[in-house]
Amino acid sequence: MKPKILQIRKGILENNDVLAHKLRQKFSQKNILVINVVSSPGSGKTEFLTVLIKKLIKKGLKVCAVVGDLATDNDALRLKSSGAPSYQINTNGNCHLDANMIEKSLTKIPWENADIIFIENVGNLVCPASYDLGENIRIVLISVTEGEDKPLKYPTMFNSSDICVISKIDLSRAVEYNKKIAIQNISSVSPDIKIFETSAKKDIGVDKIVSYLSIKKNKHY
Amino acid sequence: MKPKILQIRKGILENNDVLAHKLRQKFSQKNILVINVVSSPGSGKTEFLTVLIKKLIKKGLKVCAVVGDLATDNDALRLKSSGAPSYQINTNGNCHLDANMIEKSLTKIPWENADIIFIENVGNLVCPASYDLGENIRIVLISVTEGEDKPLKYPTMFNSSDICVISKIDLSRAVEYNKKIAIQNISSVSPDIKIFETSAKKDIGVDKIVSYLSIKKNKHY
């Protein structure tokens, strides 16, 4: 890549970081916990979030959601079924969300009253890793069907995340998933990451994340 | 996005297209069929290619492979087990292969003697769609575990591909895969795409692709 292009890319990332920092301050003033959820396409982000948000709302928390996709507004419609006000950002072919898109989307949801805002990123294990969205917690989802080696192949995404949710564990046997190797690989690129095993479909493991986030919520951000 | 950045991005793509065109001519002169394989992370590209290449070699065809990843050389090692000379391009965090990387990789494999060259792209359903690598055929893999809606959410990748390989069909029942809806969705964004259903693990459907590619190989490119 030529130096000029590198310089411009650096500029884009720097501008994004400045805006993300401002967003984080804005959220912090209202004591809102913001969570950026990233994964490959088809890892089950929307299903996981729908189940998780339902449970958080049942606990009395106010939740909003923003979801990014290249095309369609399917995911916002699915997320709305959880009871949370949800807004779809159509990225028009862009491979990730950025802080600017998040700032604009805030006019579309009652974010100021929320306890937690979930941001469901574009399904992509590469590009979203570089874009801070002003979140407090980054969750990377990885389904058992994707193979145990993915953390080694996409280290930046795992290394930049605070929580790893292993999804679709009800399929572990069918895909001959090797849990020990998977956890070894995750920990080798991201030693401090917190790992949860879940199946949104069978309602396994989601309650543990509800408890964890409820505690996190009580810390001031 | 600012006009200056758009202009530079357009320039990068134009330069890439020029080089890809040259590569296609170079491959054509030697009557080599070049196939670019794209998918999400974990769709089973490497397993599919390993089984497919073994069968093609058994038929007497000479095959080479080039594989791109952000980190690790696991996939080239796995592909080598098929019997094909294979070279790993480490993209150092870049989210797609480009024509320049392909040109450089040619010094590492006996490409001039090959009948077919497979290029296994970085696992990403967004960015590789925009980069012509000089291929004759683009194959997009989508596993039944990823959900039926992915063609609607990543239309450019499906629309720019010639063949769609639905992988891991042995898991269809476990994930309650709706084949009718999936095929409807694929066809709605890419009406002329050729669809194959496969399980590399159970050796289902791969022979049909072997026959198809053998016939394609006999056409001069």
Side-chain angles (χ1 to χ4, degrees):
Chain A
M1 198 172 277
K2 291 167 191 165
K4 192 177 169 194
I5 298 165
L6 271 182
Q7 216 176 345
I8 287 187
R9 177 171 284 183
K10 201 168 157 245
I12 295 172
L13 286 174
E14 276 170 7
N15 288 343
N16 185 78
D17 283 354
V18 170
L19 181 54
H21 182 70
K22 280 186 197 161
L23 283 174
R24 193 174 288 107
Q25 284 182 318
K26 196 166 163 172
F27 296 137
S28 171
Q29 281 161 9
K30 304 268 179 192
N31 198 21
I32 302 169
L33 181 65
V34 179
I35 302 172
N36 179 7
V37 184
V38 295
S39 83
S40 302
S43 300
K45 282 190 297 301
T46 314
E47 190 162 0
F48 164 72
L49 283 176
T50 306
V51 174
L52 177 64
I53 293 172
K54 262 186 200 162
K55 288 176 184 282
L56 289 167
I57 290 175
K58 214 172 165 183
K59 269 203 125 182
L61 289 160
K62 291 194 238 32
V63 182
C64 284
V66 171
V67 49
D69 259 315
L70 276 66
T72 85
D73 59 353
N74 296 350
D75 287 355
L77 293 174
R78 286 170 68 198
L79 278 182
K80 269 180 193 156
S81 75
S82 69
S86 305
Y87 177 70
Q88 181 88 38
I89 301 173
N90 190 317
T91 67
N92 285 320
N94 210 335
C95 53
H96 57 85
L97 290 174
D98 61 33
N100 191 36
M101 296 178 196
I102 299 304
E103 188 181 40
K104 281 185 184 160
S105 75
L106 293 180
T107 60
K108 309 288 185 181
I109 49 166
W111 71 275
E112 288 176 286
N113 301 320
D115 295 304
I116 303 180
I117 301 174
F118 283 99
I119 303 169
E120 183 183 334
N121 219 313
V122 176
N124 180 341
L125 271 187
V126 190
C127 316
S130 310
Y131 287 82
D132 184 358
L133 304 180
E135 73 262 27
N136 308 108
I137 294 175
R138 185 176 291 185
I139 298 182
V140 59
L141 243 89
I142 178 92
S143 85
V144 298
T145 65
E146 292 172 63
E148 298 83 359
D149 62 341
K150 293 304 162 291
L152 304 180
K153 294 175 77 177
Y154 302 89
T156 311
M157 190 58 100
F158 286 81
N159 189 257
S160 68
S161 294
D162 308 286
I163 294 176
C164 177
V165 171
I166 301 172
S167 61
K168 305 190 188 179
I169 61 161
D170 53 302
L171 298 174
S172 295
R173 186 175 292 181
V175 299
E176 297 171 30
Y177 179 68
N178 189 323
K179 178 179 157 176
K180 197 177 154 192
I181 289 179
I183 289 179
Q184 247 172 29
N185 288 344
I186 296 166
S187 304
S188 75
V189 296
S190 191
D192 297 325
I193 205 165
K194 197 162 171 61
I195 301 172
F196 292 95
E197 295 175 276
T198 65
S199 161
K201 196 171 163 188
K202 306 278 182 191
D203 194 6
I204 302 168
V206 185
D207 286 326
K208 281 190 188 166
I209 303 176
V210 170
S211 306
Y212 181 82
L213 294 181
S214 305
I215 296 165
K216 286 297 246 185
K217 178 63 199 82
N218 290 330
K219 281 177 59 182
H220 190 83
Y221 275 93
Chain B
M1 200 172 276
K2 290 169 192 164
K4 191 177 167 195
I5 298 164
L6 271 180
Q7 218 177 346
I8 287 184
R9 178 172 283 184
K10 202 169 157 245
I12 295 172
L13 285 173
E14 276 169 9
N15 289 343
N16 185 77
D17 283 353
V18 169
L19 181 54
H21 182 70
K22 280 187 197 161
L23 283 174
R24 193 175 288 107
Q25 283 183 318
K26 196 166 162 172
F27 295 138
S28 172
Q29 282 161 7
K30 305 267 180 193
N31 198 21
I32 302 169
L33 182 65
V34 179
I35 302 172
N36 178 6
V37 184
V38 295
S39 83
S40 303
S43 299
K45 283 189 297 303
T46 313
E47 190 161 2
F48 164 72
L49 283 175
T50 305
V51 174
L52 177 64
I53 293 172
K54 262 186 200 163
K55 287 176 185 280
L56 289 166
I57 290 175
K58 214 172 166 185
K59 270 203 124 183
L61 289 160
K62 291 194 235 35
V63 182
C64 284
V66 171
V67 48
D69 260 315
L70 276 67
T72 85
D73 59 355
N74 295 351
D75 287 354
L77 293 174
R78 285 170 68 197
L79 279 181
K80 270 181 193 155
S81 74
S82 69
S86 306
Y87 177 69
Q88 181 88 37
I89 301 172
N90 191 316
T91 67
N92 285 321
N94 210 336
C95 53
H96 59 84
L97 290 174
D98 61 32
N100 191 36
M101 296 177 196
I102 299 304
E103 188 182 38
K104 281 187 185 157
S105 75
L106 294 181
T107 60
K108 309 287 185 182
I109 48 166
W111 71 276
E112 288 178 283
N113 301 320
D115 295 303
I116 303 180
I117 300 173
F118 284 99
I119 303 169
E120 183 184 332
N121 218 313
V122 176
N124 180 340
L125 272 187
V126 191
C127 316
S130 309
Y131 287 82
D132 184 359
L133 304 180
E135 73 261 29
N136 307 110
I137 295 175
R138 185 176 289 184
I139 297 181
V140 58
L141 243 90
I142 177 92
S143 86
V144 299
T145 63
E146 292 172 63
E148 299 83 359
D149 61 340
K150 293 303 162 293
L152 305 179
K153 294 173 78 177
Y154 302 88
T156 311
M157 191 57 101
F158 286 81
N159 189 257
S160 68
S161 293
D162 309 286
I163 294 175
C164 176
V165 171
I166 301 172
S167 62
K168 305 190 188 178
I169 61 162
D170 55 300
L171 299 174
S172 297
R173 187 175 291 182
V175 298
E176 297 171 29
Y177 180 67
N178 189 324
K179 178 179 157 176
K180 199 177 152 192
I181 290 178
I183 290 180
Q184 249 172 29
N185 288 345
I186 295 166
S187 304
S188 74
V189 295
S190 191
D192 297 325
I193 205 166
K194 198 163 171 58
I195 301 172
F196 291 96
E197 295 175 275
T198 65
S199 162
K201 197 170 162 189
K202 306 279 183 191
D203 193 7
I204 301 167
V206 186
D207 287 325
K208 282 191 187 166
I209 303 175
V210 170
S211 305
Y212 181 82
L213 293 181
S214 305
I215 296 164
K216 285 296 244 184
K217 178 64 199 81
N218 291 328
K219 281 177 60 181
H220 191 83
Y221 275 92

